[in-house]
Amino acid sequence: MSDKSFQKKQYIIDTAAKVFAEKGYKNVTMKDIVEICEISRGGLYLYYDNTAELFVDVMKCQAESDEDFTSLISDDATAADILLLFLQEEKKNLFRKKNNLNRALFEFYFDNRPAKSDNVYRKKFDENVKVIRKIIEIGLEGGEFICEDPHTAAVNIVYLLEGLKATSLTLGISPDSFDRQILYILQSLGVDA
Amino acid sequence: MSDKSFQKKQYIIDTAAKVFAEKGYKNVTMKDIVEICEISRGGLYLYYDNTAELFVDVMKCQAESDEDFTSLISDDATAADILLLFLQEEKKNLFRKKNNLNRALFEFYFDNRPAKSDNVYRKKFDENVKVIRKIIEIGLEGGEFICEDPHTAAVNIVYLLEGLKATSLTLGISPDSFDRQILYILQSLGVDA
Amino acid sequence: MSDKSFQKKQYIIDTAAKVFAEKGYKNVTMKDIVEICEISRGGLYLYYDNTAELFVDVMKCQAESDEDFTSLISDDATAADILLLFLQEEKKNLFRKKNNLNRALFEFYFDNRPAKSDNVYRKKFDENVKVIRKIIEIGLEGGEFICEDPHTAAVNIVYLLEGLKATSLTLGISPDSFDRQILYILQSLGVDA
Amino acid sequence: MSDKSFQKKQYIIDTAAKVFAEKGYKNVTMKDIVEICEISRGGLYLYYDNTAELFVDVMKCQAESDEDFTSLISDDATAADILLLFLQEEKKNLFRKKNNLNRALFEFYFDNRPAKSDNVYRKKFDENVKVIRKIIEIGLEGGEFICEDPHTAAVNIVYLLEGLKATSLTLGISPDSFDRQILYILQSLGVDA
DNA sequence: CATGAATGAGAGTTCATTCAT
DNA sequence: GATGAATGAACTCTCATTCAT
């Protein structure tokens, strides 16, 4: 693929991302993409044969552009500080209006259960578990946290975050409610909040 | 509505439930319903104008048929016993193959954010919070549990359950993984497991 | 299928036959059928999923409506008379402008080589061989014809007719040319023409 | 046209011939040509505006490359030998798997009835008639053959060959069946086979 | 009430053809 | 000349929805 068509592909990915953020995955048609991208029907098919293929690229692209969380950590941060930072990042993502793919992601994976280990969603999930677990272990070493099973604790937090995401899409949740959960997590780890 | 047509409606609801359980909400068409119910196209429209209306009734119906959890509680049960029982019921629901509407529910509420307070999903959510909170308070009274904020703890558990449901539909989860989360919850409440 | 929808099906078959006669098989689209039948896009699909299915029915229908050749034979006809009659029927079919499916038939079978023994084309072919062979055998018995191998002679005539049909569609042939071939066939069988 | 572009054209003709042999005429698209030739879409249009134009050249090219049948005739061959040779050449062509354009030829001429006298198919047809007639006349002179009307006999053989070609494409024919027809032809000419 | 044939809007997809580079 | 991205017309097919019976 030439450089030019690479840019066009990128343009489609970026533009389509907005539609997916707006309408979810299942409600988006090739026609929607064509219209928002202002390209021809046939033109889109040069790059993608269906919305699934395109959405995979949208996900990959978003995964790449994910800010590196570690860069946000200041030198003198305690484990609790870091965990708080992490959770506030998640909160920010959840309440973000623009480019929020949460709904589309759920809908896509409901339809396309990932068999392969290389799928974006699982990667993110596992990575989050690893990061949180690491933070907890740091907190344990420093005597900040109390936790018998750091791995399960980390998984618990990630499941909780999934629950918050899902609920924000079904019933809606308030920032306050999210905050209370952050506090609860920290308390569970033995931090006086 | 006559008695006969009431029965017909019930038949449609029950039969359609299977399709929703199988294919989720967004993938189900009026045609699917017509076919599985073996009724005429026009016949279905006498009762329901679209899948949304029908699905609402499916949900209501399932909510009504929800086993009364309290009936399962034995007289000499501790709060931990009761909480365990509750969570195991949830586990059973999650891993149930037949009539599992989880996916359909998510998809429906993604599309139809409930503005009204009378929606089934919110009711269930709030009810679960109430039940768990009650159990925790019983545990606190009996000295079984340690918990500063029973309400937030209850909400935490419900969000967690939502996360487990969602994840079971995207990445899949194992019964073991669910069990570890049950244990973690109990430990967080100060129970030696 | 109800009586009414049976009639509609028949209407589609009859009407579509005209298009196939006009444009052949490969040039006909479902859209063409819809237009000539003056029914809706979806309406046609209630009866036929593609042009192949429809064309099969068109062929069957035409096969059924095939005049019974034997009814044309007069009592005092000689074998040569009968053979002549048969060949003139074929000539009439070939030069018929209306409802001439020859081209469509070729195109259809080029695309759909008939594996099954039950296809219309092979049936017609074999039947023609049988009829001609019978006529030749009658002629042999009566001393009218000379022929060492009636079966091969019959097959020869049928292949020849296929050749005439094909050529009429590619280069075109004149009625005179067809007549000369009829004469030649009779002479080959030892008839003074 | 430059020498280079002449070669390119020849390359396209030769390569496209394979697709036409494989898929017939009507099923071949400009896209197919572009793909098998591994040239650019626009590139093809520099030489041909549609598949018809290209196919005409494919036919011309094949006509040119047609082996000169007369070169195969040995000096002491009888008329029957020569006719047999001719028919066996036709048989070889019919059962050839590679580069067999028979189907494509039929489909092309079904769509493009040749008005002009200069078309390849008619030329070939007339040439064959001439050749066979000549052979028959030689046979008549030598007392080998019996035939009242050499021209009609020749035309009869050519029509028969068309019928064999067409039938090989619709119902299929066996080499044995072809052989029986060869024998029948010779017998009709009074040759003891 | 119930049926199911009929409609037509709209999504998906393919390809001939053009044109800027 | 040559490229291949881009266009848009045309076709296939599916459903929600209606309506005469």
Side-chain angles (χ1 to χ4, degrees):
Chain A
M1 193 177 299
S2 74
D3 201 54
K4 194 178 150 202
S5 87
F6 179 82
Q7 275 175 34
K8 179 80 169 260
K9 201 164 182 173
Q10 195 56 49
Y11 165 73
I12 293 172
I13 292 170
D14 294 341
T15 314
K18 290 176 206 158
V19 196
F20 285 120
E22 230 177 82
K23 306 175 62 167
Y25 169 70
K26 301 259 347 168
N27 286 336
V28 172
T29 68
M30 288 299 267
K31 204 178 158 241
D32 291 330
I33 310 286
V34 157
E35 275 160 15
I36 196 156
C37 290
E38 289 180 305
I39 54 177
S40 65
R41 256 157 149 57
L44 178 55
Y45 279 87
L46 288 176
Y47 299 95
Y48 294 102
D49 278 343
N50 45 59
T51 54
E53 263 182 31
L54 172 53
F55 188 66
V56 166
D57 271 10
V58 168
M59 284 190 294
K60 276 186 195 158
C61 194
Q62 156 149 319
E64 279 164 22
S65 74
D66 249 13
E67 244 176 305
D68 181 21
F69 160 71
T70 56
S71 68
L72 301 173
I73 305 169
S74 65
D75 291 344
D76 58 347
T78 64
D81 287 342
I82 301 173
L83 185 55
L84 191 60
L85 194 63
F86 179 90
L87 295 170
Q88 276 164 346
E89 275 302 298
E90 291 293 314
K91 183 185 169 192
K92 221 158 59 186
N93 288 337
L94 196 156
F95 287 104
R96 187 177 52 199
K97 291 289 176 210
K98 289 272 163 202
N99 291 322
N100 186 330
L101 290 179
N102 283 342
R103 175 179 171 186
L105 283 163
F106 277 128
E107 287 182 346
F108 176 78
Y109 282 109
F110 288 173
D111 249 22
N112 306 277
R113 213 68 69 76
K116 320 154 195 176
S117 59
D118 69 341
N119 87 79
V120 183
Y121 207 74
R122 167 149 287 132
K123 226 183 204 158
K124 189 70 192 165
F125 188 98
D126 291 341
E127 201 181 285
N128 279 349
V129 170
K130 219 173 77 184
V131 167
I132 297 172
R133 181 178 173 171
K134 188 74 194 167
I135 299 173
I136 294 175
E137 282 168 349
I138 293 171
L140 285 174
E141 281 168 28
E144 276 183 82
F145 292 163
I146 304 165
C147 179
E148 288 188 20
D149 180 353
H151 181 73
T152 300
V155 172
N156 176 269
I157 293 172
V158 175
Y159 280 144
L160 179 68
L161 290 170
E162 288 298 299
L164 289 162
K165 273 197 274 179
T167 309
S168 76
L169 294 167
T170 52
L171 304 175
I173 68 170
S174 66
D176 282 355
S177 188
F178 196 106
D179 287 336
R180 278 193 292 277
Q181 290 302 314
I182 292 182
L183 265 180
Y184 184 79
I185 290 168
L186 290 171
Q187 285 171 355
S188 296
L189 290 168
V191 178
D192 282 345
Chain B
M1 190 178 302
S2 79
D3 199 53
K4 195 176 148 204
S5 85
F6 180 81
Q7 277 176 30
K8 179 97 170 239
K9 204 162 178 173
Q10 195 55 48
Y11 165 74
I12 293 172
I13 292 169
D14 293 341
T15 315
K18 291 174 206 159
V19 197
F20 286 121
E22 233 177 80
K23 305 175 58 166
Y25 169 70
K26 299 261 349 168
N27 287 335
V28 172
T29 67
M30 289 299 267
K31 202 179 163 238
D32 290 330
I33 310 286
V34 157
E35 274 162 16
I36 198 160
C37 290
E38 288 177 308
I39 55 175
S40 65
R41 262 163 139 70
L44 176 56
Y45 277 86
L46 291 174
Y47 299 96
Y48 294 103
D49 277 345
N50 46 57
T51 54
E53 268 182 27
L54 172 52
F55 188 67
V56 166
D57 272 10
V58 168
M59 285 190 295
K60 277 183 193 158
C61 192
Q62 155 148 320
E64 280 165 20
S65 75
D66 249 11
E67 243 177 307
D68 181 19
F69 159 71
T70 58
S71 69
L72 299 172
I73 304 171
S74 65
D75 289 346
D76 56 350
T78 63
D81 286 341
I82 301 173
L83 185 55
L84 192 60
L85 194 64
F86 179 91
L87 295 170
Q88 277 165 347
E89 274 304 296
E90 290 293 315
K91 181 185 170 190
K92 224 160 57 187
N93 289 338
L94 194 155
F95 288 104
R96 186 177 54 197
K97 293 285 175 211
K98 290 271 161 205
N99 292 322
N100 187 328
L101 290 180
N102 284 343
R103 177 180 169 183
L105 284 163
F106 277 128
E107 286 180 348
F108 176 77
Y109 282 109
F110 287 173
D111 248 22
N112 306 278
R113 211 67 72 75
K116 321 150 195 175
S117 59
D118 70 340
N119 88 81
V120 184
Y121 206 76
R122 162 148 291 133
K123 227 185 207 155
K124 187 72 192 164
F125 188 98
D126 290 342
E127 200 181 287
N128 279 349
V129 168
K130 219 173 76 186
V131 168
I132 296 170
R133 181 179 173 169
K134 187 76 194 165
I135 299 171
I136 292 174
E137 282 168 349
I138 294 171
L140 283 174
E141 283 168 25
E144 273 183 83
F145 290 163
I146 304 164
C147 179
E148 290 190 16
D149 178 353
H151 180 73
T152 300
V155 173
N156 176 269
I157 292 173
V158 175
Y159 280 145
L160 179 68
L161 289 170
E162 288 298 300
L164 288 162
K165 274 199 273 180
T167 310
S168 77
L169 293 168
T170 51
L171 304 175
I173 69 168
S174 66
D176 281 355
S177 188
F178 197 105
D179 287 336
R180 276 193 294 275
Q181 291 302 312
I182 293 183
L183 264 181
Y184 185 80
I185 291 170
L186 290 171
Q187 284 171 355
S188 295
L189 291 167
V191 179
D192 280 344
Chain C
M1 194 175 298
S2 75
D3 200 55
K4 195 179 149 204
S5 87
F6 179 82
Q7 275 174 33
K8 179 80 170 258
K9 202 165 181 173
Q10 196 55 51
Y11 164 74
I12 293 172
I13 292 170
D14 294 340
T15 314
K18 291 175 206 159
V19 196
F20 285 122
E22 229 177 83
K23 306 175 59 168
Y25 169 70
K26 300 255 354 163
N27 286 335
V28 171
T29 69
M30 289 298 267
K31 207 180 155 237
D32 290 331
I33 311 287
V34 156
E35 276 161 15
I36 196 155
C37 291
E38 288 180 306
I39 55 176
S40 64
R41 258 158 150 57
L44 176 55
Y45 279 88
L46 288 176
Y47 299 94
Y48 294 102
D49 279 343
N50 45 60
T51 54
E53 263 182 31
L54 172 52
F55 187 66
V56 166
D57 271 10
V58 168
M59 285 189 293
K60 278 185 194 158
C61 194
Q62 155 150 319
E64 279 165 22
S65 75
D66 248 12
E67 243 175 304
D68 181 20
F69 159 71
T70 58
S71 68
L72 300 174
I73 305 171
S74 64
D75 288 346
D76 56 348
T78 63
D81 286 342
I82 303 174
L83 185 54
L84 192 61
L85 195 64
F86 180 91
L87 295 170
Q88 277 164 348
E89 275 303 300
E90 291 293 317
K91 183 186 168 191
K92 223 159 59 187
N93 288 338
L94 196 156
F95 287 104
R96 187 178 54 198
K97 293 287 177 212
K98 289 269 162 205
N99 290 322
N100 187 328
L101 289 181
N102 284 341
R103 176 180 171 184
L105 283 164
F106 278 127
E107 287 181 346
F108 177 76
Y109 282 110
F110 288 174
D111 249 22
N112 306 277
R113 214 66 70 76
K116 319 154 195 174
S117 59
D118 70 341
N119 85 81
V120 183
Y121 207 74
R122 163 150 290 132
K123 230 185 203 154
K124 189 69 192 164
F125 187 98
D126 291 342
E127 203 181 284
N128 279 349
V129 169
K130 220 173 74 186
V131 168
I132 296 172
R133 182 180 171 167
K134 188 74 194 166
I135 300 172
I136 292 174
E137 282 166 351
I138 293 170
L140 285 173
E141 282 167 27
E144 274 181 83
F145 291 164
I146 303 165
C147 179
E148 291 187 19
D149 179 352
H151 180 73
T152 299
V155 173
N156 177 267
I157 293 172
V158 175
Y159 280 144
L160 179 69
L161 290 169
E162 289 298 300
L164 289 162
K165 272 198 273 177
T167 309
S168 77
L169 294 167
T170 51
L171 303 175
I173 68 168
S174 66
D176 282 354
S177 188
F178 197 106
D179 287 336
R180 277 192 293 275
Q181 291 302 313
I182 293 182
L183 265 181
Y184 184 79
I185 290 169
L186 290 170
Q187 286 171 353
S188 295
L189 290 167
V191 178
D192 280 344
Chain D
M1 190 180 298
S2 76
D3 198 56
K4 196 176 149 203
S5 85
F6 179 81
Q7 277 176 31
K8 179 96 170 240
K9 204 163 179 174
Q10 195 55 47
Y11 165 74
I12 293 172
I13 292 170
D14 294 341
T15 314
K18 292 175 204 159
V19 197
F20 286 121
E22 233 176 80
K23 306 174 60 168
Y25 169 70
K26 300 262 347 168
N27 286 334
V28 172
T29 66
M30 289 298 268
K31 202 178 162 241
D32 290 329
I33 310 286
V34 156
E35 274 162 14
I36 197 159
C37 290
E38 289 178 307
I39 54 175
S40 66
R41 262 161 139 71
L44 177 56
Y45 277 87
L46 291 175
Y47 297 97
Y48 294 103
D49 276 345
N50 46 58
T51 54
E53 267 182 28
L54 172 53
F55 188 66
V56 166
D57 272 8
V58 169
M59 286 190 294
K60 277 185 195 160
C61 193
Q62 157 150 318
E64 281 164 21
S65 76
D66 249 12
E67 242 177 306
D68 181 18
F69 159 71
T70 58
S71 69
L72 299 173
I73 305 171
S74 65
D75 289 346
D76 56 349
T78 64
D81 286 342
I82 301 173
L83 184 54
L84 191 61
L85 195 65
F86 179 89
L87 295 170
Q88 276 166 346
E89 275 302 299
E90 289 294 314
K91 182 184 169 193
K92 225 159 60 186
N93 289 339
L94 195 156
F95 287 105
R96 187 177 53 197
K97 293 286 175 212
K98 290 272 163 203
N99 291 320
N100 186 327
L101 290 180
N102 283 341
R103 176 180 171 184
L105 283 164
F106 278 128
E107 288 181 346
F108 176 77
Y109 281 109
F110 288 173
D111 250 21
N112 306 278
R113 211 68 69 77
K116 322 153 195 174
S117 58
D118 69 342
N119 86 82
V120 184
Y121 207 73
R122 164 148 288 133
K123 228 185 207 155
K124 188 71 192 164
F125 188 96
D126 291 342
E127 200 181 289
N128 279 349
V129 169
K130 219 172 77 186
V131 168
I132 296 171
R133 181 179 173 170
K134 187 75 194 166
I135 298 172
I136 292 174
E137 282 166 351
I138 292 171
L140 284 173
E141 283 167 26
E144 274 181 83
F145 292 164
I146 304 166
C147 179
E148 290 188 16
D149 179 353
H151 180 73
T152 300
V155 173
N156 176 268
I157 292 172
V158 175
Y159 280 146
L160 179 69
L161 289 170
E162 287 300 298
L164 288 162
K165 274 197 273 177
T167 310
S168 77
L169 293 167
T170 52
L171 304 175
I173 68 168
S174 66
D176 282 354
S177 189
F178 197 106
D179 286 336
R180 276 192 294 276
Q181 291 302 313
I182 292 182
L183 265 180
Y184 185 80
I185 291 170
L186 290 172
Q187 287 171 354
S188 296
L189 291 168
V191 178
D192 282 343

